[in-house]
Amino acid sequence: MSVTPRQTGTVLDEIIAGVLTDLRGRQELVEEAGLREAAELIDPPLDPQRALRADGLSVIAEVKRASPSKGHLAEIRDPSVLAGNYQAGGATAISVLTEARRFNGSLADLDAVRAGVGIPVLRKDFIVTEYQVLEARAHGADLVLLIVAALDDAELETLYRLIRRLGMTALVEVHNAEEARRAAHLGASVIGVNARNLKTLDVDTGIFAELLPQLPEQTVKIAESGILTLDDALAAHRAGADAILVGEALVRSGDPAAFIASIREATSS
Ligand SMILES: O=P(O)(O)OC[C@@H](O)[C@@H](O)c1c[nH]c2ccccc12
């Protein structure tokens, strides 16, 4: 599948240009056939949806060393230890940033987290090719992020179908009404509303409540980004989120398990 050429300009465009360059390097080392073989040998994907919908606010806890908006966040020498802490605190799933240039992540982080937890793992990256979806499966991901803003409808459909064909779940991420319409049209079963505009890095945590009415009732609804306190988490829960995706607040916390446990405790009946 050819990747739609992108004009340079937004932060998102620049990130994707770097992702494609790094991808070419990996493709020289590992052929697609090798990924398909590895994907056959690894444990089949876990289905996160029932747990994400369970009572109370679910937490998808993120392994995130850095970001374009904040720069360096945390060392995270051993992602499996951090992910194990997240799991101990009651996280429903772990999100692993694998983008190298701006988030200082890698597929090795995904391997480490996969080996360290028994709950679903999300490959958080700028997925624009089928090869990257195969990489996710071959490295044990159960969910793969698809950023609507980064894909045209044909790309979105092709990648969504491959994710489903491999038994994984797509977390389809939107940031505005048009993207929410596209995600609903796609038939996405899990939709994340990113409060952060990936083109400008502005954060507006009100966007989740604004877009919620546009998300199909049966969709798992996830509020992503900018959730720094228990109050922020409770606000997302009141707004109708089934789950929240939290990175910075957890990787900077002295006790991430306690933070996750406090969210679960405060929202479970
Ligand atoms: O660190 P925060 O503000 O808690 O945000 C976490 C997560 O939502 C964010 O890392 C994210 C959401 N969607 C993305 C897409 C690409 C990279 C990163 C992201």
Side-chain angles (χ1 to χ4, degrees):
M1 180 180 78
S2 69
V3 178
T4 310
R6 289 165 175 77
Q7 79 288 359
T8 56
T10 70
V11 172
L12 183 58
D13 295 323
E14 286 162 19
I15 292 174
I16 290 171
V19 162
L20 290 173
T21 302
D22 294 343
L23 178 59
R24 278 192 286 276
R26 294 201 303 278
Q27 285 175 306
E28 283 164 19
L29 298 173
V30 180
E31 290 186 4
E32 192 169 302
L35 290 177
R36 290 185 185 279
E37 276 169 38
E40 289 301 314
L41 297 174
I42 202 159
D43 291 348
L46 301 171
D47 180 350
Q49 296 187 52
R50 191 151 44 83
L52 287 171
R53 291 177 199 277
D55 176 43
L57 186 63
S58 298
V59 177
I60 301 176
E62 188 157 87
V63 177
K64 182 180 192 181
R65 287 196 185 83
S67 72
S69 52
K70 296 285 177 71
H72 174 77
L73 292 170
E75 195 68 35
I76 310 181
R77 272 186 294 282
D78 186 344
S80 67
V81 171
L82 179 61
N85 285 343
Y86 288 167
Q87 178 178 257
T92 299
I94 308 292
S95 169
V96 183
L97 269 158
T98 57
E99 194 280 331
R101 297 177 182 221
R102 309 297 292 272
F103 293 87
N104 200 6
S106 68
L107 284 167
D109 291 336
L110 181 54
D111 293 335
V113 168
R114 178 68 289 163
V117 299
I119 55 178
V121 176
L122 161 69
R123 181 189 186 179
K124 180 71 91 65
D125 208 324
F126 299 80
I127 306 295
V128 291
T129 66
E130 291 175 277
Y131 184 92
Q132 289 166 291
V133 172
L134 287 167
E135 280 184 323
R137 183 76 293 262
H139 289 267
D142 305 295
L143 300 98
V144 179
L145 180 74
L146 291 181
I147 301 170
V148 174
L151 301 162
D152 65 28
D153 282 341
E155 292 165 335
L156 193 55
E157 175 103 28
T158 299
L159 296 174
Y160 187 82
R161 285 185 176 181
L162 178 59
I163 289 167
R164 298 299 298 132
R165 210 161 49 241
L166 294 170
M168 297 186 287
T169 301
L171 197 175
V172 180
E173 177 177 299
V174 302
H175 179 72
N176 59 40
E178 171 59 12
E179 291 171 10
R181 187 196 61 74
R182 291 178 59 202
H185 178 70
L186 178 69
S189 58
V190 179
I191 295 180
V193 177
N194 192 353
R196 183 170 292 111
N197 182 326
L198 288 176
K199 295 177 178 173
T200 65
L201 301 182
D202 298 334
V203 175
D204 173 359
T205 50
I207 288 186
F208 179 82
E210 193 183 307
L211 294 185
L212 189 81
Q214 284 200 228
L215 306 182
E217 178 52 38
Q218 73 283 3
T219 304
V220 176
K221 304 167 189 69
I222 301 174
E224 303 176 38
S225 301
I227 294 174
L228 299 173
T229 65
L230 177 59
D231 281 349
D232 294 339
L234 297 179
H237 189 232
R238 281 194 302 275
D242 296 299
I244 53 175
L245 202 160
V246 183
E248 179 184 342
L250 288 173
V251 298
R252 282 184 151 165
S253 164
D255 190 348
F259 185 37
I260 295 168
S262 69
I263 294 168
R264 296 291 298 146
E265 164 101 26
T267 59
S268 301
S269 49

